Amino acid sequence: MSFEERKKTRVTLVDVARQANVSRATASLVLRKSPLVGSETRMRVEQAMRDLGYVYNIGAARLRVERSQIIGAIVPNLTNPFFAELLSGIEEVIGATGKVVILANSGDQVERQEMLLRRMREHGVDGVILCPAARTESALSDQIADWGMPVVQVLRHISLGLDYVGVDYAAGMRQAVDYLASLGHEKIAFAVLGPIHSAYQERVDGFRDAMLSRNLDPRILIHFPTQLGEIANATHLLFDQATRPTAVICFNHIVALGLSAGLHDRGLTIGRDLSLVGFDDVADAEAIRPKLTSVATGPVAIGEMAARLLVERIGNPDLPPRRVVNDTTLHIRQSCGRPG
Amino acid sequence: MSFEERKKTRVTLVDVARQANVSRATASLVLRKSPLVGSETRMRVEQAMRDLGYVYNIGAARLRVERSQIIGAIVPNLTNPFFAELLSGIEEVIGATGKVVILANSGDQVERQEMLLRRMREHGVDGVILCPAARTESALSDQIADWGMPVVQVLRHISLGLDYVGVDYAAGMRQAVDYLASLGHEKIAFAVLGPIHSAYQERVDGFRDAMLSRNLDPRILIHFPTQLGEIANATHLLFDQATRPTAVICFNHIVALGLSAGLHDRGLTIGRDLSLVGFDDVADAEAIRPKLTSVATGPVAIGEMAARLLVERIGNPDLPPRRVVNDTTLHIRQSCGRPG
DNA sequence: GAAACATTTTAGATCGATCTAAGTGCAGGA
DNA sequence: TCCTGCACTTAGATCGATCTAAAATGTTTC
């Protein structure tokens, strides 16, 4: 079929109306399941739609009503399974409401994020779920308000003026610290990585507070490279410290995986020579050996909740800003023991 | 700002035109960087756009020209990091062309896939990258041709009539078998999982052919559950066979991860007691210990290539169907040894 | 000075839906 | 018979861009 024919073949409401012997307006009412049309007419129109293979043109409708049925999702890193799970939750809930998700990857770069937001506005998205790139200025929130665009922040936040769905990172850190302390650990390190953003800060602050409240030294903060492969090779950083830790809390599952591998390479036994607590608890935690004791943050549920909030906000833009902060769960597995 | 005000505030080309003292048509020409407008006029219009905070309305434009600048991507499972990497490649290339990706998850269900395709047509996507759900009938390809919708199949194929970007699974299996055979293995099992589709079939056939061409018994095909957690518990299946294998090739990284864990649980040393070869080679392969020898299929590159083919096809729908079949690479690490 | 030409600009139709306001029958009541 | 009300149905304007064909303007040539 050539381009010309295809174009000619394209079925619109007018074609349906002609075929069913009604007006455009009536066909449109049938489309929207209005109770106004008579049942005989309705059936005739529906038959005509089937016969002609009519496909609704959301784009055309959007011009009239201000609903594109598209929402945007911007995440800093698609290849991280954590964000993939988040997306999965978003897609599921949004898909169930008949809307569609435009996906974009900011690469944690503010300028790219800016470009993506503009592109999404050009596409007339009904709203955006945004995990703000590191170093995003809180002024972005004012712009978003100017635009009148419904936005839900996930996992990281830049402003109290926008909805936020996240995790009680501080409580998660407390759970990890408390657990390790209960095993007798006193020299606990926090292995961090990546750029600084609210989720980073909350974890670091949570760690410090939890350590201080037990009179433990909260200063063993060790920065690792961001690439998984390089973390294992940087494991020595753990032992270059003034006080050598007996336990390590990991910033996320990537650090945990990397350290788990690196410790193995050094012939150390996790849980005996050094205790390890992970964060995020993606599938890997169950799959590596020893199984990783880990603070679960439930990315899928966060995605679902963010999507639900966004749908609500789109329906009612004047709602006051809400914050949903999920609890974490400590999954105790095999990677921790008493200090040697 | 209330809803009403916002609506009133919305800036259109007419507003820009009025502000710049030109006509709608001229403003439109500036927008599209036409060489027809004089430079003084162009500057005046651009200034007006900036002053008013004009945002292009792609949806409105789409009504006139048949280009939505949206493409769709349908994958069977979002939480699988393999598909997340695929998507990442797609998003990068598509994003670079100024288009946008609608993401959808078929859950490997044909009816859901059907619904998603319709939804994408309603949104007027310019094309779709489809990893067909298992049991998709090849008749779908005829429908797609009827619709005149550009489609690229990735990783799995249902029809020779559509573009396809995938992996030479058979060659990958041969690499794995040859490598294990070169170490002296003769009893090699293939640990599979999930529903049957072209990629499954090609791997199974490739395994059989590779085994047969070395006069080895190709019949040790073991089915595992699909959930990562359950695979480890089902490791015993490896030893319930008539002939106990000395090496196992894994269908994908999930099986590899599960078995790696399960073997560890049974006190077996991978590479000594049993050799393991993975498939897909996502980040985990480097991260588990022993490091997993694995056949790399390069999901990001596949996504990029699929996106490139789709863009080409959209530009030129009359191209004959193309197939791009990437080579695999065997990454030899630590999970294989000589048979005990 | 007018014709011929190139360069810019524009009015009006158009894409495919929705919305408003008005129109058509038809039954029942005065 | 005429009016009112009810149940449907519809013409025409509209959303915000693009496209076509023509008009306005400026420039050169004879």
Side-chain angles (χ1 to χ4, degrees), chain A residues 65-129:
Chain A
V65 292
E66 76 311 333
R67 269 305 135 77
S68 66
Q69 308 286 34
I70 304 177
I71 76 106
I74 303 182
V75 297
N77 178 2
L78 253 177
T79 57
N80 184 336
F82 182 78
F83 290 111
E85 296 198 11
L86 178 82
L87 269 178
S88 164
I90 293 174
E91 196 272 344
E92 200 209 315
V93 171
I94 295 297
T97 69
K99 296 183 208 297
V100 120
V101 180
I102 281 182
L103 166 68
N105 187 349
S106 73
D108 243 333
Q109 291 164 338
V110 178
E111 324 76 50
R112 197 173 145 72
Q113 170 175 278
E114 207 122 301
M115 186 266 281
L116 294 173
L117 282 170
R118 164 166 266 263
R119 194 174 285 173
M120 290 191 170
R121 288 210 294 149
E122 293 183 343
H123 278 279
V125 294
D126 293 337
V128 167
I129 294 176

Side-chain angles (χ1 to χ4, degrees), chain B residues 193-208:
Chain B
L193 121 182
I196 293 173
H197 43 68
S198 69
Y200 176 96
Q201 204 56 55
E202 287 176 15
R203 276 180 249 199
V204 169
D205 293 348
F207 174 71
R208 201 197 48 232

Side-chain angles (χ1 to χ4, degrees), chain A:
Chain A
M1 182 159 40
S2 83
F3 182 74
E4 285 310 316
E5 289 176 80
R6 211 163 48 229
K7 190 166 180 185
K8 208 164 51 197
T9 318
R10 170 154 214 176
V11 181
T12 82
L13 254 199
V14 185
D15 302 316
V16 171
R18 186 166 31 225
Q19 167 98 351
N21 236 319
V22 296
S23 71
R24 229 164 53 263
T26 305
S28 173
L29 289 174
V30 171
L31 211 53
R32 283 172 288 149
K33 309 207 186 307
S34 157
L36 288 178
V37 280
S39 62
E40 199 273 334
T41 313
R42 147 163 295 125
M43 270 163 29
R44 223 170 56 239
V45 173
E46 283 171 346
Q47 189 58 49
M49 286 181 179
R50 273 192 298 274
D51 290 349
L52 298 178
Y54 172 73
V55 175
Y56 185 52
N57 184 333
I58 296 186
R62 171 209 315 191
L63 205 50
R64 208 59 241 280
V65 292
E66 76 311 333
R67 269 305 135 77
S68 66
Q69 308 286 34
I70 304 177
I71 76 106
I74 303 182
V75 297
N77 178 2
L78 253 177
T79 57
N80 184 336
F82 182 78
F83 290 111
E85 296 198 11
L86 178 82
L87 269 178
S88 164
I90 293 174
E91 196 272 344
E92 200 209 315
V93 171
I94 295 297
T97 69
K99 296 183 208 297
V100 120
V101 180
I102 281 182
L103 166 68
N105 187 349
S106 73
D108 243 333
Q109 291 164 338
V110 178
E111 324 76 50
R112 197 173 145 72
Q113 170 175 278
E114 207 122 301
M115 186 266 281
L116 294 173
L117 282 170
R118 164 166 266 263
R119 194 174 285 173
M120 290 191 170
R121 288 210 294 149
E122 293 183 343
H123 278 279
V125 294
D126 293 337
V128 167
I129 294 176
L130 175 69
C131 179
R135 278 182 298 280
T136 300
E137 317 233 344
S138 70
L140 177 62
S141 152
D142 301 332
Q143 282 190 56
I144 288 173
D146 275 358
W147 300 338
M149 186 164 81
V151 168
V152 174
Q153 312 169 91
V154 259
L155 299 169
R156 307 173 181 176
H157 50 81
I158 56 165
S159 159
L160 291 169
L162 300 172
D163 291 332
Y164 168 64
V165 179
V167 172
D168 193 344
Y169 297 113
M173 290 311 296
R174 213 173 312 118
Q175 286 175 308
V177 168
D178 285 355
Y179 172 62
L180 288 171
S182 76
L183 290 174
H185 291 277
E186 304 196 322
K187 293 164 198 153
I188 305 175
F190 187 21
V192 300
L193 123 183
I196 293 172
H197 43 69
S198 70
Y200 176 97
Q201 203 56 54
E202 286 176 17
R203 276 180 250 199
V204 169
D205 292 349
F207 173 73
R208 199 196 49 230
D209 293 350
M211 292 294 278
L212 284 177
S213 73
R214 300 194 151 259
N215 287 315
L216 299 177
D217 179 359
R219 286 172 305 176
I220 324 186
L221 208 71
I222 313 176
H223 288 266
F224 281 88
T226 46
Q227 290 303 308
L228 178 47
E230 297 167 20
I231 297 173
N233 297 330
T235 305
H236 61 88
L237 292 175
L238 289 177
F239 309 110
D240 294 350
Q241 308 297 316
T243 57
R244 178 180 161 145
T246 62
V248 181
I249 300 176
C250 301
F251 181 79
N252 64 14
H253 84 282
I254 297 179
V255 187
L257 223 56
L259 289 183
S260 168
L263 291 167
H264 182 276
D265 290 346
R266 298 173 79 94
L268 296 174
T269 301
I270 294 168
R272 194 193 63 193
D273 301 325
L274 191 75
S275 292
L276 214 58
V277 176
F279 221 92
D280 284 355
D281 202 61
V282 297
D284 296 324
E286 273 284 349
I288 62 174
R289 290 300 180 266
K291 292 185 192 173
L292 188 66
T293 291
S294 181
V295 178
T297 50
V300 177
I302 292 176
E304 291 170 351
M305 179 59 81
R308 253 179 253 123
L309 283 202
L310 184 61
V311 170
E312 275 177 39
R313 173 152 303 280
I314 291 169
N316 186 353
D318 297 324
L319 249 40
R322 294 152 300 168
R323 340 196 82 216
V324 177
V325 178
N326 284 2
D327 289 336
T328 55
T329 320
L330 179 68
H331 286 172
I332 297 177
R333 298 199 182 88
Q334 306 165 333
S335 62
C336 299
R338 308 199 156 271

Side-chain angles (χ1 to χ4, degrees), chain B residues 169-191:
Chain B
Y169 297 113
M173 289 311 296
R174 212 173 313 120
Q175 287 175 310
V177 168
D178 285 355
Y179 173 61
L180 288 172
S182 77
L183 291 174
H185 291 277
E186 304 197 324
K187 295 165 198 153
I188 305 174
F190 186 22

